[in-house]
């Protein structure tokens, strides 16, 4: 390889990956060439240009051009992918941390299959080369990836095409084969194969997978074609050159200078690298996962560019404003000096002007007299004019009222004429009687004789016909001169026609409409003529009156004008006089004001910072306060070192924060501490929408208040219409808060998150799902999650800005201070809040004034001194500014006084905020331990109300602290498991002492972690009793400051004194030897942990009592009523279950006590399909007030989200019946809704920890607590002692569990129901029988009630043995009957309920093992285990501490370990060879046993070797890492036996190292047997299946003696031999390898005896297993001792009725009753755990 790559390696260097990166092969070297030649590319600069050319070509034709930097790292991947796609059937698997891909909400299997069908048809039928790009974010269903796997493997998917589609494909293939000149059989199979062949050659699949999480590994295992049929291109972290190149290109575009671009490039790279390191540390220490991806880096650069340009624009605008203002001021300053000179010169002129003014004033006075006279004359004229005007008006009104009669008639006549048509006139012509129109028109009639009388009469027929025949007849009528109708005409009309009844329009209408119109017209003319004759003289009078009035007004106005002219002249002179002096004064004021502004301008222009804010906003959102501060400090120092202009102490708040805005945020609920304000800035200025980690709801509250006036919409992913709400907000530009998201965000929201907006015809749009929405840039989007520690995969993390809004100590302290002061001194808090708001308003006004002044100065044109408006604005601004500043000064003084008074309550707020952080980290122990800030503050309010009052402030503060601490302890303990209550007490104690400055952090860290184990240079001074582990800890502890420096020296010099301390039973209560006899507190606990770790728990209990009082070791008893009283109809009550606890009986009883019938208690056990039923129950309860009990919520994980929604949105006060309660039970589950845990009332219902607590609980629970029941038994003298005895037995059998296998082989879940039934039976028997039926109650208790749970026969033997102590006549007959040899525990003489409870309370907190029938050593294992649990639990809550450095899990270490084990484990046994050397013989079953054992061990050796060899290959990447290999790898890292080995192995609890050594020893034992023949002493523990060996021994004996094997057994004799025997046994066998637990074999007495102190196991001497006839056996006093394979003792129940862990019973001689050793839990073990 070195030779081939010689030209790539510079001189004096060896070949490495960095050199191989320079090796490029491809066919893209000549873009213009027709034939693409695959060749090596040697010119890197030319390669970059070619790549940029290809990129530009792509961007020209693409709708979505890519703004990429073609750095070397990118080119490598482009080259690889192009090489893969160039190959026939070439597919690529691209593995790297991903980014956003769009997917619609409704896309499913059928859509996928349709798209896949189209894709394959296109590749196969059309013969087009096509790349199918598919990302893992698009895998909506695992079926997708299964189909991809099939396509990669076979280029086909079974049953994808319908029959008609397949026929079409075959048809097209015939044509394609013809066109290609290929000879193919025309059979369907051959044609289809040709189609598949074409798909193979044309389709290229490019899969994009993220390696984060388990999905990738699982898919690679399940779908091997992903690996086998794809070329893998793994996208590693960007190398340095990539980071530099990208930063350089983008920063060059930002307009920075060349040197500054280089500096900024280096700092961007530095930010990225340091954040990656911090992210790893953050996960290691805090278990919080954040991803720093290339997208994050691009985000950093883009954020920097945005912030930089924004700041440059801001500063440039401010600078320009100030510069223009400065010019104006300079001009004004120049004008002032000129004006001063001018004023000096003008002084004499001013005197002259003054005299002139005086003369002018005299003249004005004279003129004024004249004007006054003129005014009088004008007044008189006005009076006359007014009278004339009134007269004229009266005449006018009179005219108008007369005309009001004529005008409508006239208008009606004209309207009537308008309706006439020529045809109508023709009708009139034919009429005999002429119309009166002729009279009106003055037409003379013909005179003709009357045919009747012969007299001459007037005949109008001829003239009227002529008149009507005129074409302009109607026009003439309309134009008729109505004002001058001749008097004779009108007289004739009135006499002749107006009196004629027939001359009426209504009558004429029936004859002719035309005549009607003419009639109306004539009548209207008559009316008009009558009125106008009256009105005409009046009109003439009116005109005359108005003319006279006008002439009078002209004279009056002329006189007024003269008067005004004189007054104006006078006013002008006065104005002119005042103007000059005023101008000068204003200018001087403005110069002073602007000079101040200039100072500010210079300060503002001086600083230009934008890089570190970009780093903070892009990267530091998810980090907690300590990490953020640490990184900012490091970045600041790096910037200063590299010469980048920046502040000496960087502050995001100072650079990016607007004080006015921040104050508004604080008023809206954002905590005031710096960290929270930074979060606010990041959330509002980041380019991506913020996703706020907000377990306490602080961010949620802030956003809701901040955006309240902007029509904020609040949505949840569970809302049915949330997409519609979002669409409207995007269009109208309103803010949206998406709250309570979990670790996944709906894929449909991706376009919103990545802001994929586009411009079309000048308008911006966003496509959301199937809708294209108009996009408003006023739209804002906030997301919050209640999860404390969510794990957002990169696919989500790169689309949002993660901001950690977890509350800080300072932020909470300020809130609590506000609450306590508001409650204790409400007037102070009101004042303070008013001051805050006023101060915010003042600052806002000042800022607006400053902007206004600058704007006026910069926008004023020409000479500012001549701009009167500008001068007025500046003047008023100055006055207002001075007023505000004066107010601010007063406010600052008042604020000081208020703060002084408020700060007296700081001790309470600090103390209380410490308590919150003590409880907030409990969730690290168990996911169910969640407490909301609202719940905490509610308790805080209650404590202020209920705590003792005092007028002395210090006393009051003490009462508040004590009450609240106790309240928190009691309320939290109610919801903790027993194992965690001491942990909480300890964490609370240390938290409070740390706040008081009484905790040395180094000592605390050492106590929890034991420090970092280093090589110990000091020899152990007392190896006989002091373990090396303890000695190493003593040496390390001596390095701590304080009293412990003398620790090591003291132990070295006084080992005997320290041994005495080590040997005592209660070292935690004894002083240490000198000079450490004075140490107290935490330091003493460190010393105790080093020497006696088993006594750390009682030591911690003592420490808590000393510091806090005994009440913090006495958690409250389970009390449903108390919990119920703390709830309301909308608060869920949650029972957190543990194994064996069932709160249903207690709940039923409580419901009955409250008068709630069984029908009103709706219960359901959740599981598959039960969700809708549960919803129905809740809805019923909301209406009726019934209780709903949902059991086993952990079994319905998928429904928990719906339950969360119901609790949040459905169970609200206005919908809920006041009696309703929702009860939930659940085992701890991460799926349980956080909101319910935080806001609900949580309870655990476990048996209390400790004998005393257990007894107390029994006596305070139903039915024993019921006086009626307790006193109802007639035989109370027997009942009460036996009841106490039974309760003691109940507590004892439960407490024995904590001793592990010594207590019980199987830890049975004895619970309250067992005790309850026994108590009821006891009362029943003693009521019904005079004598106590001991056999009956013993049988029912031992075999039925408690015994019914016991499945192991050895445990049943123990249970009955223990019960015999408690159910015995002596309990009743013997006063103060003792339950243990010490006499500490007995039946109290006062057996009343109060007497028993009082006696129980006097019992020791930590009972000694003797009360349980165990040896004192039993405590050691149990106590060591409890110490480890305590320290581990406490460590989980101390997130700032990490338990030592984790081991290096590098590939090299794993491979080395695997090779080491492979080297030690021998090859498989040659079974064939062994079979020949040890053939099957009737007389010797041992040969068969040997062969069977070797077959079993061969199976184990084979799996060990196979898994190790394959794992090495998998780690190197040569084969796929299967689940089995991954398990093996993980086990090797943590030092455990892999599951694959355990499945083929003998039982073993040893860690990996010991297991391998033990295995090798076993294999050697059998190899020696093969090589040397059967041994004299058999190693019993070395057998895989010990029972077959024992059976073989009995078989040999039975065959030899010719006895049935059923009639013989082993007799066991413990010999005096330890390792080797000096003689062989005549028959039977010698065995070794057993260990006694719970007792020892006394070598002198040759009997069982008590164990030595602190010696847990005793090696059993060689035993003689002597086969003998059962009937001949007469056993001496002995203990029948079970033998187990491992110390766990429990196994699976086998067909023999015994556990699979059980080997046999052996016997040991003893002079004590067998019951003694049964209670001791004595057993023999084949192997120890290490």
């Amino acid at each position: 390889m070195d030779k081939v790559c010689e030209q790539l390696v510079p001189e004096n260097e060896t070949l490495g990956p960095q050199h191989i990166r320079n090796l490029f092969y491809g066919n893209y070297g000549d873009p213009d060439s027709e034939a693409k030649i695959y060749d090596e590319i040697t010119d890197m600069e030319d390669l970059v240009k070619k790549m940029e050319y290809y990129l530009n070509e792509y961007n020209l034709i693409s709708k979505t051009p890519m703004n990429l930097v073609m750095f070397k790292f990118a080119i490598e991947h482009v080259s690889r992918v192009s090489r893969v796609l160039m190959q026939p059937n070439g597919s690529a698997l691209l593995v790297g941390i991903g980014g956003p891909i769009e997917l619609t909400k409704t896309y499913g299997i059928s859509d996928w299959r349709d798209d896949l069908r189209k894709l394959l048809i296109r590749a196969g039928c059309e013969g087009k080369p096509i790349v199918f790009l598919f990302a893992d974010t698009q895998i909506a269903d695992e079926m997708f990836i299964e189909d991809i796997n099939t396509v990669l493997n076979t280029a086909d998917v079974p049953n994808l095409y319908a029959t008609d589609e397949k026929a079409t494909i075959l048809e097209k293939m015939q044509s394609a084969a013809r066109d290609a000149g290929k000879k193919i059989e025309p059979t369907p199979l051959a044609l289809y194969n040709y189609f598949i062949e074409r798909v193979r050659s044309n389709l290229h699949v490019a899969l994009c997978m993220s390696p984060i999480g388990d999905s990738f590994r699982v898919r690679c295992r399940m779908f091997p074609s992903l690996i086998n049929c794809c070329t893998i291109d793994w996208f590693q972290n960007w190398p340095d050159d990539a980071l530099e190149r990208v930063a350089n290109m983008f920063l060059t575009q930002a307009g920075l200078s060349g040197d500054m671009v280089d500096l900024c490039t280096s700092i961007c790279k530095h930010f990225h690298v340091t954040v990656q390191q911090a992210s790893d540390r953050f996960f290691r220490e805090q278990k919080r996962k954040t991803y720093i991806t290339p997208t994050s880096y691009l985000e950093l650069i883009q954020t920097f560019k945005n912030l930089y340009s924004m700041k440059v624009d801001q500063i440039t605008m401010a600078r320009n404003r100030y510069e223009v203002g400065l010019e104006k001021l300079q001009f004004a300053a120049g004008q002032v000096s000129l004006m001063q000179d001018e004023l000096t010169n003008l002084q004499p002129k001013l005197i002259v002007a003054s005299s002139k003014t005086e003369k002018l004033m005299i003249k004005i006075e004279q003129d004024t007299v004249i004007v006054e006279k003129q005014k009088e004359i004008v007044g008189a004229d006005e009076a006359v004019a007014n009278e004339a005007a009134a007269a004229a008006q009266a005449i006018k009104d009179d005219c108008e009222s007369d005309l009001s009669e004529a005008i409508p008639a006239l208008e009606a006549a004209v309207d009537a004429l308008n309706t006439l048509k020529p045809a109508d006139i023709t009708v009139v012509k034919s009429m005999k009687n002429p119309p009166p129109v002729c009279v009106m028109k003055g037409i003379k009639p013909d005179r003709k004789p009357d045919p009747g009388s012969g007299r001459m009469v007037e005949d109008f027929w001829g003239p009227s016909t002529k008149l009507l025949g005129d074409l302009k007849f109607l026009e003439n009528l309309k134009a008729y001169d109505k004002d001058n109708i001749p008097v004779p005409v009108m007289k004739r009309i009135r006499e002749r026609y107006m009196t004629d009844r027939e001359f009426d329009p209504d009558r004429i209408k029936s004859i002719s409409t035309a005549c009607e119109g003419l009639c109306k017209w004539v009548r209207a003319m008559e009316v008009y003529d009558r009125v106008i004759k009256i009105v005409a003289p009046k009109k003439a009078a009116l005109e005359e009156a108005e003319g006279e009035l006008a002439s009078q007004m002209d004279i009056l106005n002329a006189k007024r004008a003269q008067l005004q002219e004189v007054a104006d002249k006078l006013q002008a002179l006065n104005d002119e006089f005042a103007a000059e002096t005023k101008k000068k004064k204003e200018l001087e004021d403005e110069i002073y004001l602007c000079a101040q502004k200039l100072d500010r301008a210079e300060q503002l222009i001086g600083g230009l910072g934008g890089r570190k804010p970009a780093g903070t906003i892009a990267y530091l959102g998810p980090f907690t306060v300590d990490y953020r501060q640490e990184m900012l400090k490091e970045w600041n120092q790096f910037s200063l070192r590299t010469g980048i202009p920046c502040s000496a102490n960087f502050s995001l708040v100072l650079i990016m924060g607007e004080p006015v805005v921040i104050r508004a945020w604080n008023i809206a609920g954002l905590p005031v501490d710096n960290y929270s304000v930074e979060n606010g800035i990041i959330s509002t200025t980041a380019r991506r929408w913020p996703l706020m980690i907000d377990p306490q709801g602080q961010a949620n509250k802030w956003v809701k208040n901040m955006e309240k006036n902007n029509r904020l919409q609040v949505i949840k992913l569970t809302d049915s219409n949330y997409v519609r709400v979002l669409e409207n907000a995007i269009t109208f530009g309103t803010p949206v808060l998406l709250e309570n998201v979990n670790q996944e965000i709906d894929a449909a929201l991706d376009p919103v998150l990545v802001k994929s907006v586009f411009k079309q015809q000048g308008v911006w749009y966003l496509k959301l799902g199937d809708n294209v929405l108009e996009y408003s840039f006023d739209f804002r989007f906030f997301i919050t999650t209640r999860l404390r520690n969510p794990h957002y995969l990169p696919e989500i993390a790169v689309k949002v800005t993660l901001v950690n809004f977890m509350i800080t100590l300072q932020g909470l302290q300020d809130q609590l201070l506000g609450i306590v002061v508001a409650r204790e001194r409400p007037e102070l808090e009101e004042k303070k809040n008013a001051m805050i708001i006023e101060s915010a308003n003042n600052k806002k006004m000042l800022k607006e004034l400053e902007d206004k002044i600058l704007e006026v100065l910069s926008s004023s044109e020409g000479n500012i001194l001549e701009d009167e408006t500008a001068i007025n604005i500046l003047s008023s601004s100055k006055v207002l500014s001075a007023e505000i500043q004066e107010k601010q000064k007063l406010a600052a003084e008042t604020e000081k006084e208020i703060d002084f008074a408020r700060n007296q309550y700081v001790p309470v707020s600090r103390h209380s905020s410490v308590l919150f952080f003590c409880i907030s980290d409990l969730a690290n122990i168990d996911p169910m331990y969640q407490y909301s800030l609202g719940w905490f503050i509610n308790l805080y309010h209650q404590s202020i109300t209920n705590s003792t009052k005092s007028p002395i402030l210090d006393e009051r503060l003490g009462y508040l602290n004590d009450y609240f601490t106790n309240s928190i302890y009691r309320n939290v303990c109610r919801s903790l498991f027993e194992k965690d209550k001491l942990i909480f007490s300890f964490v609370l104690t240390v938290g409070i002492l740390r706040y008081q400055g009484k905790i040395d952090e180094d000592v605390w860290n050492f106590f929890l972690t034991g420090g970092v184990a280093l090589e110990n240079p000091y020899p152990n001074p007392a190896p006989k009793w002091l373990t090396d582990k303890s000695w190493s800890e003593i040496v390390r502890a001596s390095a701590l400051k304080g009293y412990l420096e003398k620790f090591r020296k003291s132990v070295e010099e006084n080992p005997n004194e320290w041994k005495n301390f080590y040997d005592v039973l209660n070292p935690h209560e004894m002083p240490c030897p000198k000079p450490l006899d004075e140490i107290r507190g935490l330091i003493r606990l460190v010393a105790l942990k080093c020497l006696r770790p088993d006594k750390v728990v009682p030591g911690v209990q003592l420490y808590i009592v000393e510091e806090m009082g005994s009440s913090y070791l006495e958690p409250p008893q389970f009390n449903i009523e108390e919990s119920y009283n703390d709830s309301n109809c909308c608060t869920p009550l949650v029972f957190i279950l543990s194994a064996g606890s069932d709160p249903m009986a207690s709940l039923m009883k409580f419901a009955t006590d409250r008068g709630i019938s069984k029908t009103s208690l709706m219960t359901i056990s959740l599981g598959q399909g039960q969700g809708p039923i549960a919803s129905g129950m809740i809805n019923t309860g909301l209406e009726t007030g019934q209780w709903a009990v949902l059991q086993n919520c952990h079994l319905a994980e998928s429904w928990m989200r719906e339950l969360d929604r119901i609790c949040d949105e459905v169970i609200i006060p206005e919908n809920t019946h006041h009696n309703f309660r929702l009860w939930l039970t659940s085992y701890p589950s991460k799926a349980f809704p956080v909101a319910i845990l935080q806001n609900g009332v949580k309870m655990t219902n476990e048996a209390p920890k400790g004998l005393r607590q257990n007894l107390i609980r029994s006596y305070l629970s139903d039915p024993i607590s019921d006086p009626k029941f307790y006193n109802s038994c007639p035989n109370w003298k027997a009942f009460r002692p036996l009841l106490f005895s039974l309760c003691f037995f109940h507590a004892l059998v439960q407490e024995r569990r904590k001793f592990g296998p010594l207590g019980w082989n199987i830890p049975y879940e004895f619970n309250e129901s067992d005790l309850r039934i026994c108590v009821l039976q006891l009362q029943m028997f003693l009521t019904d029988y005079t004598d106590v039926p001991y056999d009956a109650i013993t049988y029912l208790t031992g075999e039925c009630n408690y015994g019914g749970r016991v499945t192991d026969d050895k445990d049943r033997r123990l249970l009955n043995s223990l019960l015999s102590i408690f159910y015995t006549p002596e309990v009743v007959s013997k006063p103060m009957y003792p339950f243990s040899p010490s006499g500490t525990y007995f039946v109290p003489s006062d057996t009343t309920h109060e007497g028993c409870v009082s006696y129980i309370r006097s019992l020791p907190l930590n009972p000694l093992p003797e009360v349980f029938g165990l040896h004192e050593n039993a405590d050691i294992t149990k106590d060591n285990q409890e110490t480890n649990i305590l320290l581990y639990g406490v460590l989980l809550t101390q997130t700032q501490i990490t338990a030592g450095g984790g081991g290096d899990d590098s590939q090299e270490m794993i491979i080395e370990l695997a090779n080491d084990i492979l080297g030690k484990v021998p090859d498989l046994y040659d079974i064939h060879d062994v079979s020949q050397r040890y053939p099957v013989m009737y007389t010797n079953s041992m040969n068969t046993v040997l062969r069977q054992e070797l077959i079993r061990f061969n199976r184990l050796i084979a799996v060990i070797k196979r898994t190790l060899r394959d794992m090495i290959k998998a780690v190197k990447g040569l084969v796929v890492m299967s689940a089995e290999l991954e398990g093996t790898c993980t086990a090797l890292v943590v030092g455990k036996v892999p599951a694959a080995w355990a499945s083929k192995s003998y039982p073993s609890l040893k860690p990996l190292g010991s297991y391998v050594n033990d295995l090798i020893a076993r294999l050697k034992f059998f190899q020696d047997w093969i090589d040397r023949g059967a041994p004299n002493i058999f190693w019993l523990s070395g057998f895989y299946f010990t029972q077959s060996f024992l059976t073989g021994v009995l078989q040999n004996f039975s065959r030899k003696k010719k006895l049935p094997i059923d009639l013989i057994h082993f007799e066991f004799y413990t010999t005096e031999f330890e390792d080797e025997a000096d003689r062989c046994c005549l028959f039977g066998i010698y065995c070794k390898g057993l260990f006694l637990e719970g007792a020892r074999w006394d070598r002198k007495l040759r009997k069982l005896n008590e164990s030595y102190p602190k010696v847990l196991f005793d090696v059993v001497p060689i035993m003689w297993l002597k086969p003998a006839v059962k009937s001949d056996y007469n056993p001496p006093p002995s203990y029948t001792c079970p033998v187990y394979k491992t110390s766990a003792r429990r196994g699976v129940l086998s067909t023999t009725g015994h556990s699979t862990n059980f080997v046999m019973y052996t016997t040991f001689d003893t002079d004590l009753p067998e019951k003694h050793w049964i209670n001791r839990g004595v057993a023999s073990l084949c192997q120890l755990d290490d």
Side-chain angles (χ1 to χ4, degrees), residues 908-1067:
V908 171
S909 65
R910 270 197 196 148
H911 177 91
S912 304
S913 55
V914 165
L915 301 187
F916 182 77
F917 284 92
C918 289
I919 61 172
S920 66
D921 286 324
L922 291 175
N924 295 336
I925 297 175
D926 192 291
M928 305 299 268
Y929 298 164
Q930 305 265 5
Y931 307 89
S932 73
L933 187 60
W935 169 87
F936 180 82
I937 285 173
N938 187 36
L939 271 186
Y940 188 61
H941 275 292
Q942 285 177 18
S943 300
I944 295 169
T945 305
N946 300 331
S947 53
T948 310
K949 308 286 185 286
S950 170
I952 302 161
L953 186 64
D954 284 351
E955 275 186 16
R956 173 63 177 149
L957 299 183
Y959 293 146
L960 275 169
N961 281 348
D962 291 348
Y963 190 95
F964 186 50
T965 309
N966 195 261
S967 174
I968 284 287
Y969 173 72
R970 292 180 66 80
N971 275 278
V972 172
C973 272
R974 181 168 69 191
S975 61
L976 300 180
F977 291 125
E978 290 298 322
K979 68 181 178 64
D980 299 323
K981 287 178 180 173
L982 180 62
I983 293 172
F984 175 54
S985 295
F986 192 29
V987 166
L988 202 61
T989 306
V990 171
I992 291 167
L993 293 175
R994 179 190 278 132
Y995 145 68
Q996 294 169 357
K998 295 179 182 175
I999 295 290
D1000 182 324
E1001 292 301 326
D1002 290 338
V1003 173
W1004 175 236
N1005 289 7
F1006 183 87
F1007 176 67
L1008 294 181
T1009 66
V1012 179
L1014 301 167
E1015 197 66 38
N1016 186 358
Y1018 303 98
N1020 187 341
K1024 284 189 178 177
W1025 61 270
L1026 185 62
T1027 65
D1028 287 340
K1029 182 176 180 289
S1030 290
W1031 173 239
S1032 294
E1033 283 203 1
I1034 290 167
V1035 171
R1036 290 201 296 278
S1038 303
L1040 296 169
K1041 289 175 186 172
Y1043 291 99
L1044 288 172
E1045 284 117 329
K1046 302 168 187 170
F1047 194 8
R1048 175 182 60 81
K1049 212 164 187 182
S1050 174
V1051 175
E1052 285 176 331
E1053 291 170 0
N1054 309 309
N1056 292 335
E1057 284 185 35
W1058 283 99
K1059 184 178 187 309
N1060 294 338
F1061 177 78
Y1062 172 78
D1063 283 338
V1064 292
L1065 276 174
N1066 54 342

Side-chain angles (χ1 to χ4, degrees), residues 34 108 161 271 285 519 567 724 825 868 906 958 1022 1027 1105 1233 1348 1354 1365 1432 1446 1452 1531 1648 1673 1680:
E34 286 288 325
Y161 310 106
F271 285 0
E285 295 174 2
C519 176
R724 178 57 48 81
R825 300 278 303 274
E868 193 176 341
V906 163
T1027 65
V1105 171
K1354 274 71 71 182
I1365 300 169
Y1432 177 69
E1452 290 75 17
L1648 272 186
Y1673 186 51
T1680 306

Side-chain angles (χ1 to χ4, degrees), residues 20 62 97 320 382 407 411 501 567 573 674 713 782 797 863 1045 1265 1357 1418 1429 1508 1544 1661-1662 1715:
I20 297 293
S62 172
I97 292 177
N320 290 345
E382 274 179 352
I407 298 300
E411 284 170 356
R501 284 183 185 176
L573 283 169
N674 236 32
Q713 297 287 325
F782 303 90
N863 185 343
E1045 284 117 329
S1265 61
R1357 180 177 76 158
I1429 290 169
L1508 288 177
K1544 296 281 187 278
I1662 292 171
K1715 189 168 99 171

Side-chain angles (χ1 to χ4, degrees), residues 1543-1595:
S1543 65
K1544 296 281 187 278
S1545 172
Y1546 48 87
S1548 177
L1549 300 178
K1550 292 179 183 290
L1552 183 65
S1554 304
Y1555 176 84
V1556 171
N1557 292 336
D1558 177 60
L1559 173 64
I1560 291 161
R1562 290 174 189 244
L1563 298 178
K1564 185 177 181 304
F1565 166 68
F1566 284 106
Q1567 191 60 52
D1568 289 346
W1569 187 342
I1570 294 165
D1571 296 342
R1572 301 174 195 162
N1576 288 336
I1577 301 163
F1578 287 91
W1579 182 28
L1580 201 63
S1581 310
F1583 288 93
Y1584 190 114
F1585 186 49
T1586 317
Q1587 286 92 330
S1588 74
F1589 163 69
L1590 296 171
T1591 306
V1593 175
L1594 288 177
Q1595 254 181 3

